Amino acid sequence: MILALLVALAGCLVAPGSPARAAVPDSPAATYTNPVAEKRADPHIFRHTDGYYYFTATVPEYDRIVLRRATTIQGLSTAQEVTIWTRHSSGVMGAHIWAPEIHFIDGKWYVYFAAGATSDVWAIRMYVLEGTGANPLTAAWTEKGQIKTRWESFSLDATTFVVGGVRYLAWAQRDPSVNNNTDVYLASMANPWTITGTPVMLSRPTYSWESAGYKVNEGPAVIQHGGKVFMTYSAGATDSNYCLGLLSASASADLLDTANWSKSPSPVFTSNASTSQYGPGHNSFTVSEDGRSDVLVYHDRSYKDISGDPLNDPNRRTRVQKLYWKADGTPDFGIPVADGVTPQRLSSYNLADGFVRHWEYRARVEAGVSPLADSQFRAVTGLAGGGTVSLESANFPGYYLRHKNFEVWLEKNDGTAQFAADATFHRRAGLSDAAGLSYESYNYPGRYVRHYDHLLYVRTPSTTTDRADATFYAQ
């Protein structure tokens, strides 16, 4: 026992002169280029065990269900799109084909979607398709019919998930006795097209942000993390008021007991004028290609003002960005980032939980950054060119990290050659860990971005500590 204790203590010691180092991130950077798909709303991306991502979404004609597949999320942008089902020419399932989702359950493919009828386009109900075959783009599809619920009323946005070996269905529906549009409901399932037991209402639009334009809770989506179940939902009118709310419960709790769910009093993902993203919502979740990062999938528009009914505006588009997690295990959605390459975070090699962030325009390294976007930067082509990079702020587009008197600040690009040179860096392998990154000044070769007393400077590293201070990991 004494020997074991000595070995353990030896493992905790740091050699004299060696700086402490933070853990290599479990979830490295995952970046994409937005938008992934134009004129595709209510997006759902499902990663299957065959190595493909499957993508479906609402088309603006509201007349069919389409699928794409690719081995990467970005590849979905250019993947062939196949129509697997078309609306009926008359009767039910003949209008308003909305919000398809694709799932693989017990060896078969299932697509959940909502549809109206030719005699009443607003008689929206939920339906299921079943597909057999390895590839759903070429599968044989059959209609399993309507998902029956407590009422024959406006219902849509079905999604399914498993917790603790139990399969559930979550959806949005109008309670005929209540003066609002839709609430979010949950029930267990007897099979992929049939609920069982008594559904429970998880959320009703009661906050002002849930009732902007219309009293709406819809589009539930589920992600599990750290022993908890998180359910996002969309709220408000489908214009710039559209946003995401969040419900949460313990994965070990009875999910059909509403007392076990808590609801955020504020929206978790909203329009952002700085990045020109409006009405983010109706999301789903997937994972990055390496399986180590969660990815938020959603739609929005690039402009605020809409002429006429938002449902007639075709320009909702599919977007993706990495989803981060706070120290307490809750999701941090950040902001809907600007079009183009998605941002990343830079964590310190030797300062535990420390991230590069801007605060009152001064660049520093700090733990527990809030808001998240203060620590997100887009690595873009260097303003001075020549195989270099510049780091653009996620929440202040057009503002870049630049050195001034060898201090690093976040400032707006003034278009001068001096600014371009000061805001341009050579991205090198990490000085203390080749798996990390170090940023060498473009116009002062040999000087690197490093933290000192939590502030960032551009200095020449000469010691082991200096090199550690100048090493970061992309997350």
Side-chain angles (χ1 to χ4, degrees), residues 337-361:
V337 298
D339 284 353
V341 178
T342 56
Q344 58 191 15
R345 305 178 80 194
L346 294 173
S347 63
S348 170
Y349 168 85
N350 59 349
L351 184 61
D353 301 319
F355 287 88
V356 174
R357 60 99 41 104
H358 60 83
W359 175 254
E360 296 183 345
Y361 300 102

Side-chain angles (χ1 to χ4, degrees), residues 77-320:
S77 296
T78 55
Q80 177 190 10
E81 188 168 85
V82 174
T83 297
I84 64 162
W85 183 88
T86 303
R87 70 183 179 188
H88 290 188
S89 59
S90 63
V92 298
M93 292 186 277
H96 281 347
I97 310 304
W98 288 350
E101 286 198 7
I102 184 168
H103 297 265
F104 190 76
I105 304 170
D106 298 333
K108 292 185 178 181
W109 295 99
Y110 292 90
V111 169
Y112 297 81
F113 67 101
T118 54
S119 59
D120 182 359
V121 298
W122 296 108
I124 305 293
R125 302 292 186 270
M126 300 178 294
Y127 299 91
V128 184
L129 302 177
E130 182 183 76
T132 55
N135 180 357
L137 278 69
T138 58
W141 291 94
T142 58
E143 297 172 1
K144 303 302 290 186
Q146 181 184 341
I147 300 176
K148 294 291 187 176
T149 63
R150 179 180 176 186
W151 307 292
E152 276 293 331
S153 66
F154 188 91
S155 53
L156 70 168
D157 297 348
T159 190
T160 184
F161 60 97
V162 175
V163 177
V166 177
R167 179 166 292 281
Y168 296 91
L169 187 82
W171 72 96
Q173 187 163 13
R174 183 178 184 273
D175 180 342
S177 67
V178 177
N179 182 29
N180 67 296
N181 295 90
T182 51
D183 310 315
V184 171
Y185 292 86
L186 182 70
S188 55
M189 303 191 79
N191 58 47
W193 58 91
T194 309
I195 66 171
T196 185
T198 303
V200 297
M201 184 188 71
L202 296 186
S203 182
R204 172 163 286 166
T206 55
Y207 294 114
S208 59
W209 52 271
E210 298 176 295
S211 306
Y214 293 99
K215 296 178 180 180
V216 169
N217 282 181
E218 64 181 13
V222 169
I223 188 169
Q224 300 180 56
H225 181 83
K228 299 200 72 175
V229 180
F230 298 96
M231 181 183 292
T232 53
Y233 63 91
S234 299
T238 57
D239 53 19
S240 61
N241 290 302
Y242 213 46
C243 60
L244 292 184
L246 184 66
L247 306 169
S248 59
S250 170
S252 61
D254 179 2
L255 298 185
L256 294 176
D257 182 348
T258 57
N260 291 327
W261 289 87
S262 60
K263 179 176 178 175
S264 172
S266 303
V268 294
F269 200 57
T270 62
S271 293
N272 190 284
S274 296
T275 59
S276 299
Q277 308 300 324
Y278 298 94
H282 202 120
N283 78 290
S284 61
F285 298 100
T286 189
V287 295
S288 60
E289 289 77 1
D290 64 5
R292 298 168 68 185
S293 294
D294 294 305
V295 177
L296 174 67
V297 184
Y298 63 99
H299 75 234
D300 74 4
R301 293 183 178 89
S302 61
Y303 49 88
K304 180 178 181 180
D305 298 323
I306 299 171
S307 178
D309 188 338
L311 282 176
N312 296 327
D313 182 295
N315 294 318
R316 292 178 293 178
R317 66 268 174 82
T318 295
R319 310 179 84 252
V320 298

